[in-house]
Amino acid sequence: MLVRVRDDFNGTFGHYVEKYHSVEPKHAGDAPFEVSDRVAREQIANGVLEAAVAEEKADPEDMTEAGEVVDTEKEMDTEETADTEKAENAPVHEMSWNELKFEAKERGINSFGKSREELIRLIEEYDESEGGDAPEFEAEDPV
């Protein structure tokens, strides 16, 4: 039976997972989970669990004016991608310290103990040498 911990239950329910022979702690607000019908009946009677509805209504904040559900995680991913692309396209001299450290880390440059100017110089040197003399390694063709 699909159940969840009641919102007014302040404790922890120990959900036994037979596959792993372990117990997972479940709290109010956690996602619904499956338990045997016997355990569900007992814990519902004890006031710990409640039957979960298979399809819960969408949060009104996640809906558009037309009533369509919007995937907020997908929107957040596109915002992060846009920020990353903006940072990658920005000149190195205009980047913040955190952006410089991130870009240095992406290039394998250790930023510890280096000044802003030194980090900018190292990133620019790396970018200049990247397209030139570096050999390309590829796997051999299978026989």
Side-chain angles (χ1 to χ4, degrees), residues 91-143:
V92 179
H93 298 286
E94 295 177 8
M95 291 183 181
S96 69
W97 176 246
N98 287 333
E99 290 172 334
L100 281 172
K101 287 192 332 187
F102 176 78
E103 292 297 323
K105 183 177 180 181
E106 289 290 312
R107 291 166 173 80
I109 301 170
N110 184 1
S111 63
F112 182 77
K114 295 189 174 57
S115 68
R116 177 182 172 80
E117 292 75 26
E118 189 176 3
L119 205 54
I120 290 172
R121 182 183 56 78
L122 290 170
I123 291 172
E124 287 176 342
E125 285 177 7
Y126 179 89
D127 289 345
E128 289 173 6
S129 68
E130 184 179 85
D133 303 328
E136 292 184 21
F137 297 104
E138 295 181 6
E140 288 186 25
D141 291 331
V143 178

Side-chain angles (χ1 to χ4, degrees), residues 57-71:
K57 289 187 175 182
D59 188 9
E61 293 177 5
D62 293 342
M63 297 183 79
T64 62
E65 291 177 11
E68 299 171 347
V69 177
V70 176
D71 186 3

Side-chain angles (χ1 to χ4, degrees), residues 73-105:
E73 289 181 17
K74 184 176 180 181
E75 284 185 359
M76 288 172 48
D77 288 343
T78 56
E79 290 173 6
E80 290 175 7
T81 304
D83 290 342
T84 306
E85 288 174 0
K86 185 176 88 174
E88 289 175 357
N89 295 333
V92 179
H93 298 286
E94 295 177 8
M95 291 183 181
S96 69
W97 176 246
N98 287 333
E99 290 172 334
L100 281 172
K101 287 192 332 187
F102 176 78
E103 292 297 323
K105 183 177 180 181

